[in-house]
Amino acid sequence: MTNLDVKLTKMDDLFSVKNKIVVITGAGRGIGRTLALSMAKRLAITYCFDIKFPNKIPKDLSDNLFHVKCDLTNKKKFATECKKIFNHHKKIDVLINNLGITLPGKNEKKYLEKDWEQTLKINLTTAFNCSQIVLKFMIKKKNGSIINITSINAELGFPNNPAYVASKGGLKMLGKSMAKDWGKYGIRVNNLGPGYFKTLMNKNSWKNTKTRKARTMRTMLGRWGEIDELVGPCIFLASDASKYVTAQDLYVDGGWTANGLS
Ligand code: NAP
């Protein structure tokens, strides 16, 4: 191949999510909501799934952003809603498995089985089920991008929360398994792992100056992330800019996971 054979694509087209049909879980607030708004602003048709929606759909996004009230542990309901989306648009391009909870323990000598079960159910089983449901529709088009929102907890041991760490490590490897099995159907699966971002999920670590500082010091950039800083990497993974990228982990963590010394 010569240089002349290289197809020139405008940068804007490469990173475009315009008219892509995007399904995102746990998108009523926090990281999921920011990702959903950013997709819709870039003209993706974005379906947010959550148990509740504290915020209304902004008027200027009413053609692009949709709220679907759904307990995501109810896979029948999720499947019915996805079928409706597929029947209407004839495709689903992107699934973002963003839903996640954390139930930190109080006693490192007594992990609670109920917290273990609930965390794995929400963080891992739900992503497993949602991916399989959406696969059925992506396969019809031989095209799709699944993005798992993992965490730096997928790589490292963190205290008093074995269920969360195991769930994120599991989600990371679920992503690689799905990428291996579904690549032949044109479906890419990648993991996007945030470091520390200020959301309701880790309000306690932020409020406590000691834990906030400890987390800040561990980053190479010397600060927590702004939720908006997850948008670019997510758009990269959702768009054709990452057409040949699958089974990868992209950490947006200010250098946390690579830091040798804090
Ligand atoms: P968040 O603010 O706690 O939002 C999670 C959303 O999921 C909430 O709206 C919650 O609703 C909803 N939800 C919980 N259970 C549900 C269910 N069964 N069905 C439907 N919706 C349900 O979380 P976040 O901080 O934005 O985190 C988003 C993702 O990023 C998670 O996977 C998390 O593990 C990951 N992450 C976050 C950080 C961070 O710094 N924040 C770092 C690394 C990874 P309720 O209001 O009812 O709880």
Side-chain angles (χ1 to χ4, degrees):
M1 191 165 77
T2 68
N3 281 347
L4 292 173
D5 296 325
V6 177
K7 266 196 240 155
L8 287 177
T9 314
K10 274 201 291 174
M11 228 28 174
D12 286 355
D13 296 342
L14 207 55
F15 286 87
S16 172
V17 288
K18 187 177 172 182
N19 295 330
K20 285 197 187 285
I21 309 301
V22 177
V23 168
I24 171 160
T25 66
R29 66 160 198 245
I31 290 173
R33 179 161 172 81
T34 297
L35 294 179
L37 287 171
S38 73
M39 291 278 171
K41 275 183 195 153
R42 287 164 180 80
L43 304 180
I45 315 292
T46 308
Y47 288 87
C48 306
F49 283 71
D50 204 302
I51 243 166
K52 58 178 181 281
F53 290 93
N55 300 295
K56 288 201 174 118
I57 295 173
K59 266 204 185 109
D60 58 327
L61 295 180
S62 58
D63 290 340
N64 286 69
L65 192 73
F66 302 95
H67 286 173
V68 185
K69 231 180 222 184
C70 174
D71 179 343
L72 287 153
T73 59
N74 181 346
K75 62 177 180 181
K76 253 192 173 167
K77 163 99 171 139
F78 181 76
T80 307
E81 294 297 336
C82 285
K83 193 159 194 293
K84 280 193 219 160
I85 294 169
F86 180 80
N87 287 344
H88 187 65
H89 297 285
K90 309 293 176 234
K91 62 174 189 162
I92 295 179
D93 298 300
V94 179
L95 167 67
I96 306 175
N97 284 316
N98 166 75
L99 175 66
I101 59 164
T102 182
L103 301 169
K106 291 187 177 59
N107 182 351
E108 67 197 13
K109 289 191 222 130
K110 198 165 184 283
Y111 297 151
L112 297 179
E113 192 174 337
K114 70 171 178 36
D115 290 351
W116 170 264
E117 282 179 350
Q118 178 69 356
T119 306
L120 287 174
K121 183 175 169 188
I122 299 282
N123 293 9
L124 194 51
T125 309
T126 301
F128 173 80
N129 287 330
C130 291
S131 301
Q132 293 213 88
I133 287 162
V134 167
L135 168 75
K136 275 196 290 189
F137 304 112
M138 287 182 168
I139 257 181
K140 291 182 201 260
K141 289 283 164 188
K142 280 210 156 235
N143 183 47
S145 170
I146 297 178
I147 302 164
N148 292 330
I149 305 300
T150 57
S151 165
I152 52 176
N153 284 243
E155 294 293 336
L156 301 157
F158 283 79
N160 294 335
N161 211 340
Y164 187 78
V165 173
S167 73
K168 292 298 182 180
L171 184 59
K172 166 185 151 173
M173 295 315 292
L174 170 67
K176 291 182 195 298
S177 301
M178 296 190 299
K180 167 76 181 156
D181 288 334
W182 301 346
K184 54 177 155 312
Y185 306 122
I187 295 160
R188 303 184 290 109
V189 188
N190 290 290
N191 300 321
L192 182 59
Y196 278 93
F197 289 80
K198 206 176 22 154
T199 65
L200 269 186
M201 177 177 272
N202 49 36
K203 65 175 187 311
N204 292 336
S205 313
W206 175 261
K207 267 197 213 151
N208 179 323
T209 43
K210 206 172 144 204
T211 53
R212 186 200 306 184
K213 198 171 167 209
R215 282 151 182 69
T216 304
M217 298 298 285
R218 186 70 170 77
T219 66
M220 291 181 184
L221 294 180
R223 62 177 177 85
W224 286 42
E226 300 289 335
I227 304 187
D228 280 357
E229 291 169 328
L230 288 163
V231 170
C234 190
I235 286 194
F236 166 67
L237 293 175
S239 68
D240 288 352
S242 61
K243 226 172 166 179
Y244 198 54
V245 178
T246 197
Q248 298 304 307
D249 301 295
L250 176 51
Y251 288 103
V252 185
D253 64 355
W256 178 294
T257 43
N259 202 352
L261 209 59
S262 49

